[in-house]
Amino acid sequence: MDFTVTYEPTPDEVARALGQAVKRQLKGVTIAFPAVLVVAGLVCVLVDAVFMGIGLFTGAIVFPLLLTWMIRASAKRQLAYLCVPTTLRVTTDAYEYRTEHSNTTMRWSMFGDIVVGPEFWLFYVKKQCVGFLPRSAFDSDQRAELDAFIAARQRA
């Protein structure tokens, strides 16, 4: 496998990729923290600290919304660096991401997990998303080849 494509990610695409990656990373927090707030709110209501309980219930509702807003704000700050003409080179050893201002090569062996999604391939090292490739940058043959390659790596 060795192919090169030129591509310019859109701001919406980058935001979706980063959002998917961060939500996967924070999955436990997005479930556990609101649950803890709800339980604490129930305890407060049961001991007649109703206003405190209402505040905790409100926090359980607001937290996921606030987290989504923070992810989008973080993605927005990175758009100037990511939404530029980009050359992607994919080989059996690594993938390379080149722009006018940066050049990054990542060997496949460094990834602990690769999530194959309908829009992106998301690359993780120790549960931290370190990169993504948009499926739309590749033609159908290249997507199929890359899917097969990643599936073979995950089975090994």
Side-chain angles (χ1 to χ4, degrees):
M1 174 173 65
D2 188 350
F3 44 86
T4 303
V5 297
T6 301
Y7 178 73
E8 186 168 347
T10 66
D12 189 46
E13 215 171 24
V14 170
R16 285 193 316 273
L18 294 176
Q20 288 174 23
V22 171
K23 282 182 182 177
R24 184 173 188 271
Q25 283 174 224
L26 299 176
K27 191 177 194 178
V29 172
T30 58
I31 295 169
F33 190 67
V36 168
L37 291 175
V38 167
V39 169
L42 286 172
V43 169
C44 287
V45 168
L46 292 173
V47 297
D48 289 331
V50 176
F51 289 115
M52 177 72 84
I54 291 171
L56 290 167
F57 292 141
T58 303
I61 293 167
V62 170
F63 175 75
L65 302 171
L66 182 61
L67 184 62
T68 300
W69 176 81
M70 288 171 42
I71 291 168
R72 288 185 183 173
S74 175
K76 199 173 200 177
R77 286 190 301 271
Q78 297 178 38
L79 292 179
Y81 303 106
L82 297 173
C83 296
V84 295
T86 303
T87 300
L88 302 169
R89 180 168 183 234
V90 179
T91 68
T92 53
D93 294 326
Y95 88 86
E96 183 178 4
Y97 176 95
R98 284 188 317 246
T99 69
E100 181 182 324
H101 301 289
S102 69
N103 185 9
T104 303
T105 301
M106 301 183 98
R107 300 186 74 65
W108 296 112
S109 59
M110 78 178 287
F111 302 122
D113 192 17
I114 299 174
V115 175
V116 178
E119 282 189 281
F120 311 101
W121 292 280
L122 301 172
F123 304 114
Y124 290 85
V125 174
K126 296 183 181 179
K127 298 186 181 186
Q128 175 76 31
C129 186
V130 295
F132 69 92
L133 289 176
R135 294 178 76 83
S136 60
F138 303 93
D139 66 33
S140 59
D141 291 338
Q142 292 167 333
R143 284 192 297 267
E145 189 173 352
L146 194 46
D147 280 334
F149 175 77
I150 290 170
R153 283 193 52 77
Q154 290 176 331
R155 283 192 301 270

